[in-house]
């Protein structure tokens, strides 16, 4: 049973995607799965319409953050951010971009003002936001900018995918594979690992987190025989981290890092590029992994999947990753409050 005193702030994501579907399903399973109370930030008309399409008897109530906690047991509380037109499930429209962005801004503001306990974001469609003039590569960079505006201090966000069997952190994220080697530096690896180690302590309660650092090349470079990055960049970075008291070891051959016995030897796998980490993470926990942003002055989690326009409004979207995201956000908030 959650001991939260504040609701979580759940953004609508792209309203034409499955965000409304899984939010409705999560609320419907609140008692069965002990889903922590949340405030949906988005268009209540979208939720009501989607509930009717899905045949879900959900009561939606518009309210402020202060009223959401008590309302949650009997109705799905919504802080209204109107889209301005009738949203069709599965049909994204650039006109909805403003409310999508506004919902994220409000969620961060409420959490920074201690009116909500954490930010949980539903999936966005970056192409739709770009068409509307969105000036950030994605969610994470936008959240870092909002953190800067609220605190005056720059944030260095780090993406971690956390599932029941594996946690992974990619050092480089959304860049072409051909650019990864030139983007890797000792400082980038060290800064990433320091943020990971710090947040695993403060947010996940680990006294001495163990960081397994993957190599870039096959067989971690074979001491320079198959590329120099492992020997000249990754290994010196792990040595500097160990001198700083962080239990980071590697570079390790990535093809032997993710089997059952190997995973018992570390708490998080730090990988050199996106797919090196996310392929095993999704293979081992596709439906219940959580995207956690480390390095921010507030808690942020998100389902580890996209908008899934192709199944929106069809009643087949799986809410497991969203429920895991809400649960993890609540657990972190409870730990930090204790």
């Amino acid at each position: 049973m959650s001991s939260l005193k504040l609701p979580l702030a759940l953004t609508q994501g792209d309203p034409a995607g499955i965000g409304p579907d899984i939010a409705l399903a999560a609320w419907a399973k609140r008692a069965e799965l002990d889903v922590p109370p949340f405030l949906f930030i988005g268009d209540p008309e979208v939720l009501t319409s989607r509930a009717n399409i899905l045949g879900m008897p959900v009561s939606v109530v518009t309210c402020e953050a202060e009223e959401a906690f008590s309302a949650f047991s009997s109705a799905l509380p919504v802080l209204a951010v109107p889209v301005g037109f009738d949203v069709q499930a599965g049909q994204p429209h650039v006109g909805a971009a403003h409310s999508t962005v506004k919902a994220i801004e409000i969620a961060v503001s409420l959490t920074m003002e201690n009116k909500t306990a954490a930010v949980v974001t539903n999936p966005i469609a970056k192409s739709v936001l770009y068409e509307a003039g969105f000036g950030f590569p994605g969610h994470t960079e936008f959240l870092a900018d909002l953190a800067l505006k609220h605190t005056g201090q720059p944030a260095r966000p780090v993406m971690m995918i956390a599932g029941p069997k594996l946690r992974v952190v990619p050092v480089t994220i959304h860049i072409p594979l051909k650019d990864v080697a030139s983007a890797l530096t000792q400082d980038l690896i060290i800064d990433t690992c320091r943020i990971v180690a710090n947040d695993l302590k403060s947010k996940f309660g680990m006294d001495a987190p163990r960081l397994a650092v993957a190599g870039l090349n096959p067989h971690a470079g074979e001491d320079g025989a198959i590329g120099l990055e492992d020997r000249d960049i990754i290994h010196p970075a792990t040595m500097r981290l160990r001198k700083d008291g962080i239990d980071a070891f590697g570079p390790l051959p990535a093809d032997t890092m993710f089997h059952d016995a190997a995973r018992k030897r570390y708490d998080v796998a730090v990988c050199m590029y996106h797919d090196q980490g996310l392929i095993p993470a999704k293979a081992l926990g596709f439906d219940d992994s959580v995207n956690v942003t480390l390095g921010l002055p507030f808690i942020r989690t998100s389902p580890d999947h996209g908008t899934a326009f192709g199944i929106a409004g069809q009643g087949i979207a799986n809410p497991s990753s969203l429920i895991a995201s809400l649960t993890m956000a609540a657990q972190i908030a409870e730990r930090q409050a204790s």
Side-chain angles (χ1 to χ4, degrees):
M1 186 71 175
S2 174
S3 62
L4 276 181
K5 300 297 189 291
L6 297 171
L8 304 169
L10 174 63
T11 66
Q12 70 177 357
D14 190 299
I18 62 170
D21 304 44
I22 57 179
L24 289 162
W27 183 83
K29 294 176 179 289
R30 65 196 181 286
E32 174 190 349
L33 299 179
D34 193 22
V35 177
F38 61 83
L39 170 67
F40 185 90
I41 303 173
D43 194 328
E45 296 299 325
V46 170
L47 274 183
T48 301
S49 172
R50 196 68 57 86
N52 289 336
I53 291 172
L54 297 172
M56 298 180 68
V58 177
S59 175
V60 173
V61 59
T62 57
C63 64
E64 298 299 319
E66 295 81 0
E67 306 165 283
F69 199 92
S70 59
F72 186 78
S73 61
S74 57
L76 200 167
V78 181
L79 195 156
V81 183
V83 174
F85 60 89
D86 290 336
V87 173
Q88 301 300 311
Q91 299 180 28
H93 192 286
V94 65
H98 173 75
S99 67
T100 299
V101 172
K102 188 68 175 177
I104 300 168
E105 293 173 336
I106 292 172
V108 171
S109 293
L110 290 174
T111 303
M112 292 298 296
E113 294 164 4
N114 293 317
K115 294 180 179 179
T116 51
V119 176
V120 181
T121 57
N122 263 313
I124 59 173
K126 288 180 282 189
S127 60
V128 174
L129 298 186
Y130 295 158
E131 188 179 350
F134 187 66
F136 300 90
H139 244 140
T140 304
E141 295 83 1
F142 183 42
L143 291 166
D145 185 70
L146 293 174
L148 173 62
K149 289 176 179 176
H150 279 277
T151 66
Q153 300 294 322
R156 164 79 162 80
V158 170
M159 181 176 77
M160 181 172 75
I161 304 301
K165 295 182 179 179
L166 176 67
R167 300 182 189 89
V168 300
V169 169
V171 174
T172 64
I173 308 178
H174 298 128
I175 63 174
L177 188 59
K178 65 181 178 63
D179 297 335
V180 170
S182 59
L184 284 177
T185 65
Q186 288 188 40
D187 286 343
L188 177 61
I189 295 168
I190 289 167
D191 289 347
T192 300
C193 288
R194 283 176 176 162
I195 291 167
V196 171
N198 180 69
D199 276 24
L200 287 180
K201 291 178 182 178
S202 65
K203 293 180 177 177
F204 289 82
M206 298 182 191
D207 293 332
R210 302 164 298 168
L211 282 60
V213 182
L216 173 66
N217 297 296
H219 304 285
E222 292 276 16
D223 196 28
I226 315 177
L228 301 176
E229 294 85 3
D230 302 273
R231 186 190 69 188
D232 297 345
I233 298 174
I234 304 172
H235 182 259
T238 60
M239 292 299 98
R240 286 172 56 186
L241 288 161
R242 293 185 74 82
K243 287 180 180 178
D244 291 343
I246 295 174
D247 188 3
F249 51 95
L252 304 175
D255 63 347
T256 59
M257 281 181 60
F258 300 108
H259 61 82
D260 290 347
R263 296 198 310 273
K264 294 177 181 177
R265 298 195 289 267
Y266 59 82
D267 298 302
V268 61
V270 179
C271 300
M272 294 302 108
Y273 55 94
H274 183 277
D275 284 10
Q276 187 183 55
L278 271 68
I279 287 173
K282 293 189 177 186
L284 290 168
F286 187 80
D287 289 325
D288 45 14
S289 288
V290 176
N291 185 340
V292 188
T293 305
L294 310 178
L296 293 174
F298 52 87
I299 301 161
R300 184 264 180 150
T301 65
S302 179
D304 186 28
H305 58 66
T307 52
F309 292 121
I311 62 170
Q314 296 181 26
I316 57 176
N318 189 339
S320 296
S321 187
L322 174 60
I323 292 171
S325 300
L326 292 162
T327 301
M328 184 175 291
Q331 290 170 342
I332 296 171
E334 290 167 357
R335 188 176 294 113
Q336 292 190 327
S338 62

